[in-house]
């Protein structure tokens, strides 16, 4: 969605495809839902960072620290894309 917004803003996409009209009409709702989902995901990640089931004695698998770090990286990229799209929406108005 960020690429579509950027392309539309700089005039790269001159085509009038129905999908662009649909995104144009529903973009505020999509952004709101995306923001809520990012917030929920952030809260879940924050809770997961505090949980260490190995020291609590609830599991016997190897440590999850590397997987948790990778998940935080993906979340950070998602937040950056969301922020970039929000900035483009603000500048386009």
């Amino acid at each position: 969605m960020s690429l579509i917004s950027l392309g539309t803003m700089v005039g790269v996409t001159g085509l009038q495809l129905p999908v662009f009209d649909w995104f144009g009409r529903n973009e505020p709702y999509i952004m709101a839902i995306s923001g809520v989902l990012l917030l929920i995901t952030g809260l879940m990640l924050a809770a997961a960072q505090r949980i260490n089931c190995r020291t609590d004695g609830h599991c016997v698998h190897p440590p999850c620290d590397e997987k948790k770090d990778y998940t935080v990286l993906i979340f950070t990229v998602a937040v950056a894309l969301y922020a970039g799209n929000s900035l483009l929406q603000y500048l386009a108005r």
Side-chain angles (χ1 to χ4, degrees):
M1 188 170 10
S2 294
L3 293 176
I4 291 172
S5 295
L6 180 62
T8 304
M9 193 168 119
V10 297
V12 173
T13 56
L15 301 174
Q16 292 298 324
L17 298 175
V19 71
F20 293 131
D21 292 335
W22 184 85
F23 273 119
R25 287 191 312 269
N26 296 311
E27 196 161 21
Y29 305 112
I30 294 170
M31 291 297 293
I33 291 169
S34 297
V36 169
L37 290 174
L38 279 173
L39 178 65
I40 292 169
T41 304
L43 293 173
M44 290 174 61
L45 281 174
Q49 290 293 331
R50 285 187 261 153
I51 295 173
N52 187 352
C53 63
R54 288 181 52 81
T55 58
D56 296 340
H58 300 298
C59 64
V60 293
H61 61 77
C64 303
D65 294 337
E66 186 175 317
K67 291 179 185 177
K68 287 181 181 181
D69 292 342
Y70 185 66
T71 305
V72 170
L73 175 66
I74 292 172
F75 177 71
T76 304
V77 170
V79 169
L81 288 172
Y82 181 80
N85 196 20
S86 297
L87 179 64
L88 287 175
Q89 288 301 315
Y90 176 74
L91 294 175
R93 291 183 185 219

